[in-house]
């Protein structure tokens, strides 16, 4: 059966406009009532990467959370909200993002993802079991609320990537280390999506992030809300809207190789806008963007590998020496300087960009290695 994906225009975060767009996105699927029944406990999983105000587009906007929560309550559900930020408490992040006001207004229960459990991954390609938070599994309905952003390692972070939030706190960096490279990390994300399966996904693509996301990119109005019961179908359609195909988007390429439902255009039916009508022109991708088939084989080592990779550089001017990057680095590659900034030991750095992702000051820039720059110029990477 064809998977529905709604593409709805939303001009601003005016509460009425967002509520009407969210409602319109669910209409072709039978409305929120098709997903939530009277008395059910419903968990919303927004993107709560770090505590930043909504206008910098790092986290899911409070008005998206409000509109979805209101729809759930109207359908008779009891609303909860949870995530496991890599650094900082969920309470402080909710307050900095403005979501705390929505939580208070609508009496939403807050559920920090704390308890890791090891679960088997049926059909897992790389990992036969993974350690994820127990909390999302305790609810009747899971609604995924990702933000449309670029991602230095994965190119884009949409619905499937947002499920990585179910890995508890700092152990996220450990999984980067275990995955080692971007293709295996894409496989890990797909394995997580085999275990954590949202009933509904609603993407906040009203104010998106382009450039060097997910924490240090630039806000860009794309005026879209995308909804689907399938995280993969939502990602595939959104990537097409941005003009990104599987030749660049590793996760989509790996999903197609694995025959995952929703990863091909023939698996889906779009409602609302067509992909052409929704198309976002000249969406700026991270400087690390490269072809999906450009994973380096293990025999390429040392300086050649470094030269073919992108790596992080700390900006002395912007760095406030908070230490978050050094704390999260899974291979202890960062040595901070007293006066700000620091050095990255490229001989051990695995280019996971966890450091850049959580830097609160946009003080870490991804830089391409010399050979990678040359190959890009020649059009072979
Ligand atoms: S680079 Fe960013 S995360 Fe690292 S110490 Fe400086 S401000 Fe903190
Ligand atoms: S320095 Fe940054 S990119 Fe390199 S391994 Fe550490 S966290 Fe990952």
């Amino acid at each position: 059966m064809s998977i529905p994906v709604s593409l709805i225009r939303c001009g601003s975060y005016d509460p009425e406009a967002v509520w009407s767009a969210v409602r319109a996105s669910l209409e072709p699927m039978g409305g929120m009532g098709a997903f939530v029944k009277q008395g059910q406990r419903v968990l919303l999983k927004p993107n709560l990467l770090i505590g930043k105000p909504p206008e910098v587009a790092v986290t899911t906007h409070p008005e998206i959370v409000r509109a979805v929560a209101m729809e759930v309550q109207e359908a008779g559900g009891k609303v909860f909200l949870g995530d496991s930020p890599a650094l900082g408490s969920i309470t402080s992040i909710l307050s900095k993002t403005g979501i705390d006001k929505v939580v208070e207004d609508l009496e939403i229960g807050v559920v920090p993802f704390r308890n890791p459990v090891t679960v088997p991954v049926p059909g897992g390609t790389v990992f036969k079991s993974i350690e994820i938070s127990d909390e999302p599994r305790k609810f009747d309905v899971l609604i995924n609320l990702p933000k449309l952003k670029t991602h230095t390692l994965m190119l884009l972070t949409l619905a499937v990537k947002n499920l990585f939030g179910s890995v508890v706190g700092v152990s996220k960096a450990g999984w980067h280390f275990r995955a080692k490279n971007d293709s295996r990390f894409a496989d890990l994300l797909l394995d997580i999506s085999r275990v954590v399966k949202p009933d509904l996904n609603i993407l906040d693509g009203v104010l998106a992030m382009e450039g060097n996301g997910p924490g240090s990119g630039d806000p860009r109005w794309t005026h879209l809300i995308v909804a689907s019961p399938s995280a993969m179908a939502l990602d595939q359609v959104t990537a097409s809207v941005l003009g990104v195909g599987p030749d660049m988007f590793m996760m989509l390429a790996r999903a197609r190789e694995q025959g995952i439902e929703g990863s091909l255009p023939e698996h889906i039916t779009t409602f609302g806008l067509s992909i052409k009508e929704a198309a976002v022109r000249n969406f700026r991708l991270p400087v690390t963007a490269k072809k999906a088939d450009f994973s380096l084989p293990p025999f390429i080592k040392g300086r050649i590998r470094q030269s073919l990779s992108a790596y992080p550089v700390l900006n002395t001017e912007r760095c406030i020496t908070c230490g978050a990057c050094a704390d999260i680095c899974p291979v202890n590659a960062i040595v901070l300087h007293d006066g700000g900034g620091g050095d990255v030991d490229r001989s051990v750095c695995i280019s996971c960009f966890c450091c850049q992702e959580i830097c609160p000051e946009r003080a870490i820039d991804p830089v391409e290695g010399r050979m990678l720059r040359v190959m890009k110029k020649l059009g072979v990477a």
Side-chain angles (χ1 to χ4, degrees):
M1 204 181 72
S2 194
I3 305 168
V5 181
S6 292
L7 282 163
I8 303 294
R9 188 74 71 207
C10 182
S12 73
Y13 285 114
D14 169 73
E16 278 290 317
V18 175
W19 178 72
S20 144
V22 165
R23 251 181 119 86
S25 75
L26 299 179
E27 239 169 50
M29 301 162 213
M32 189 60 89
F35 300 94
V36 175
K37 304 292 173 226
Q38 184 70 36
Q40 283 187 316
R41 285 158 43 87
V42 180
L43 182 67
L44 309 185
K45 159 68 183 84
N47 183 321
L48 297 180
L49 177 65
I50 46 174
K52 288 281 172 185
E55 57 272 22
V56 295
V58 171
T59 48
T60 306
H61 196 281
E63 290 307 327
I64 299 283
V65 177
R66 185 189 300 277
V68 175
M70 282 166 55
E71 283 296 293
V72 171
Q73 289 176 341
E74 199 179 304
K78 171 108 182 84
V79 187
F80 297 82
L81 177 149
D83 198 4
S84 176
L87 282 177
S89 75
I90 191 167
T91 318
S92 123
I93 290 178
L94 291 178
S95 142
K96 288 176 182 159
T97 54
I99 298 176
D100 59 342
K101 180 83 175 60
V102 180
V103 164
E104 198 185 311
D105 291 349
L106 300 180
E107 297 181 1
I108 296 172
V110 174
V111 184
F113 295 175
R114 281 195 187 119
N115 302 320
V117 282
T118 301
V119 293
V121 184
T125 47
V126 181
F127 299 97
K128 298 302 166 202
S129 65
I130 49 171
E131 200 181 68
I132 53 163
S133 160
D134 199 20
E135 280 83 6
R137 296 150 26 107
K138 294 178 181 163
F139 289 82
D140 300 313
V141 180
L142 174 61
I143 302 182
N144 189 20
L145 300 180
K147 183 83 175 168
L148 196 174
K149 294 189 290 181
T150 46
H151 193 277
T152 330
L153 178 66
M154 286 286 96
L155 194 79
L156 295 172
T157 165
L158 307 168
V160 172
K161 172 70 178 59
N162 199 42
L163 302 176
F164 190 54
S166 29
V167 172
V168 177
V170 285
S171 48
K172 288 184 178 71
W175 279 104
H176 276 279
F177 178 66
R178 263 169 265 184
K180 290 275 197 276
N181 61 38
D182 47 1
S183 72
R184 271 174 63 94
F185 191 70
D187 287 341
L188 168 66
L189 296 180
L190 294 172
D191 284 352
I192 290 174
S193 72
R194 288 179 164 95
V195 178
V196 185
K197 296 178 183 162
D199 300 278
L200 176 62
N201 305 269
I202 303 175
L203 175 88
D204 172 9
V206 183
L207 181 66
M209 178 180 280
E210 63 177 4
N212 293 323
S216 303
D218 303 305
R220 158 99 185 253
W221 290 98
T222 46
H223 299 298
L224 285 173
I225 284 178
V226 191
S228 176
S230 159
M232 177 51 65
L234 186 153
D235 284 12
Q236 188 224 142
V237 168
T238 308
S240 298
V241 165
L242 301 173
V244 169
D247 56 332
M248 298 189 82
F249 192 12
M250 173 77 72
M251 196 272 298
L252 183 57
R254 299 294 296 147
R256 287 186 181 176
E257 279 168 35
Q258 294 172 28
I260 293 180
E261 210 188 1
S263 61
L264 286 165
E266 51 266 39
H267 297 167
I268 55 118
T269 304
T270 53
F271 294 90
L273 303 167
S274 66
I275 290 174
K276 204 171 163 194
E277 286 164 334
V280 176
R281 313 268 172 229
N282 306 317
F283 190 70
R284 264 192 316 111
L285 296 171
V287 299
T288 47
K290 54 187 186 287
K291 286 193 173 179
D293 59 2
F294 188 61
S295 268
L296 301 175
F299 63 82
I300 297 182
K301 293 191 191 299
R303 284 176 188 274
I304 297 178
R305 174 172 278 271
Q306 287 170 21
S307 187
L308 283 165
S309 308
Y311 59 97
V313 171
L314 274 65
N315 181 309
T316 315
E317 303 293 307
R318 290 200 292 267
C319 174
I320 55 164
T321 329
C322 70
C325 55
D327 288 346
I328 206 161
C329 177
V331 293
N332 297 319
I334 300 177
V335 178
L336 294 172
H337 300 159
D338 285 343
D343 295 319
V344 174
D345 181 350
R346 292 194 60 203
S347 66
V348 292
C349 171
I350 56 170
S351 297
C352 65
F353 292 102
C354 291
C355 51
Q356 188 245 0
E357 191 166 330
I358 52 93
C359 174
E361 299 298 319
R362 296 171 49 130
I364 299 185
D365 300 316
V367 173
E368 295 160 327
R370 198 173 301 160
M371 277 168 75
L372 180 56
R373 278 202 302 274
V374 172
M375 289 176 79
K376 275 193 171 179
K377 261 191 196 147
L378 296 172
V380 291

